[in-house]
Amino acid sequence: MHELGIVFHVIRQVDEVAQQNEVREVRKVTLEIGEVSGVIPHYLEECWKWACLNKSRFMKECQLEIISLKASSFCQDCQKLYDTAANGKSCPYCHGTNTYLVSGNEVSIRNIEVV
Amino acid sequence: MNDEVRIIEIKKSVFEANEKDADALRDRLRKKGVFLLNLMSAPGSGKTTTLTRLINLMKNEYRIAVMDADIDSDVDARTIAETTGVQAIQLHTGGMCHLDAFMTAQGLDSIENIDDLDLIILENVGNLVCPAEFDTGASKNAMILSVPEGDDKPLKYPLMFQVCDLVIVNKIDVLPYFDFSMDKCVENVHYRNEKAEIIPVCARTGENIEEVAKWLKEQISSWKQQ
């Protein structure tokens, strides 16, 4: 359940930004979660409410929005992009493993809605 | 009171703050000349037994302390202190399944005479998923994969094997009783991480632990020269 740890890190960063910007409260946080980041959005949502209520200064009643990002990898042998979620490290065109992840590993805070 | 809703763009990785903490911790340890090894594995793979063997091989040459992280209890720290005589402290993660750099730094604060040490080993929470996500600020990462867990673990837990510099394959004494192929294991580890070193050991009997000690000594001396 590393999602709880991730939520704690989100809270720390958001509270810091909230304080610097002298906001009264943070109403919504939008996160971007990559498809192969290993983070399960449902688990994030499960612990979000509790963590905000108990561990945050500015996010007591804060909504969570999750934007899911597709994962894609690039094959250096055949110079093609492919869908990582379906194929993993192996290129579906040439079956080689000389590939790297281009996107899909993100766990980021996009923006926050404040008053 | 201004009730106007506004949007503040952040566009930052959630792990960014932790990575900063981890780099700061690495700087702090570098100044002190203390090498930090982060040891990870699934529960029951033999972290404590391996550590005990390893420390007993190295403690005459190196001044060592251990930080044991668990959700609860102090059984690991007590076992290590009793069987090796080195300083061992227990960290509680408050329900969380991993340590981050901030918690590691707090743990370091409670180690006595840290300036006199050469090596601190962090025994992370038993878990193959979460500890790999959070950089603890360690100089090197190692993990233990035990034979009963299966040779396919690198396929199932990619990140753990990507972040580790060393994979210790433990419990090789039970190899005849399991469908575990060492060749397949090596292939799977290198599929995730070409650079990972692999050392098969049996912590129960102490077999091959000297290879782990040799690896660790090399890491410490090359780190000191950097």
Side-chain angles (χ1 to χ4, degrees), chain A residues 6-48:
Chain A
I6 287 167
V7 169
F8 285 166
H9 278 275
V10 171
I11 289 174
R12 223 172 98 194
Q13 286 191 43
V14 170
D15 272 356
E16 223 175 273
V17 172
Q19 187 157 18
Q20 285 161 6
N21 288 276
E22 295 174 359
V23 311
R24 199 168 74 240
E25 63 171 287
V26 179
R27 294 219 173 139
K28 190 167 122 187
V29 169
T30 303
L31 301 182
E32 294 175 339
I33 307 290
E35 211 180 4
V36 296
S37 63
V39 176
I40 300 169
H42 174 67
Y43 289 168
L44 276 183
E45 285 157 4
E46 291 267 290
C47 53
W48 181 260

Side-chain angles (χ1 to χ4, degrees), chain B residues 41-208:
Chain B
S41 82
S45 64
K47 279 194 299 297
T48 308
T49 312
T50 306
L51 264 186
T52 303
R53 292 276 184 188
L54 182 65
I55 291 165
N56 281 334
L57 276 183
M58 295 179 71
K59 68 183 179 192
N60 292 335
E61 228 177 304
Y62 295 82
R63 292 159 299 177
I64 306 172
V66 175
M67 293 196 289
D68 271 293
D70 276 302
I71 290 173
D72 203 352
S73 109
D74 63 351
V75 58
D76 283 350
R78 268 192 293 132
T79 305
I80 294 207
E82 281 164 16
T83 50
T84 66
V86 305
Q87 185 186 171
I89 62 161
Q90 185 76 49
L91 308 177
H92 284 156
T93 60
M96 283 212 284
C97 49
H98 61 273
L99 277 187
D100 60 18
F102 185 72
M103 290 188 270
T104 308
Q106 281 183 319
L108 291 176
D109 290 338
S110 54
I111 288 184
E112 284 168 37
N113 306 324
I114 186 165
D115 294 302
D116 299 335
L117 296 173
D118 303 305
L119 167 65
I120 297 174
I121 302 173
L122 170 64
E123 187 180 345
N124 215 315
V125 183
N127 183 326
L128 289 182
V129 184
C130 318
E133 292 270 13
F134 291 88
D135 187 344
T136 55
S139 320
K140 290 281 171 185
N141 293 316
M143 72 87 61
I144 302 176
L145 171 66
S146 64
V147 166
E149 293 168 58
D151 53 30
D152 57 354
K153 284 297 161 291
L155 304 179
K156 295 182 178 176
Y157 302 94
L159 190 62
M160 175 55 72
F161 292 87
Q162 275 162 33
V163 303
C164 278
D165 304 286
L166 172 69
V167 174
I168 301 167
V169 181
N170 191 20
K171 307 189 187 178
I172 53 169
D173 54 335
V174 298
L175 268 172
Y177 309 103
F178 287 88
D179 291 328
F180 184 102
S181 152
M182 194 58 80
D183 289 344
K184 196 78 200 158
C185 176
V186 170
E187 187 190 321
N188 289 342
V189 169
H190 286 154
Y191 176 66
R192 290 300 174 203
N193 180 359
E194 286 170 3
K195 290 186 193 133
E197 292 206 41
I198 301 168
I199 304 177
V201 304
C202 175
R204 194 179 63 86
T205 60
E207 186 185 347
N208 228 19

Side-chain angles (χ1 to χ4, degrees), chain A residues 12 24 89 107 109 112 114, chain B residues 3 6 8 11 14 191:
Chain A
R12 223 172 98 194
R24 199 168 74 240
K89 261 194 87 171
V107 184
I109 307 171
I112 60 176
V114 301
Chain B
D3 255 345
R6 30 182 198 126
I8 301 175
K11 293 201 189 313
V14 171
Y191 176 66

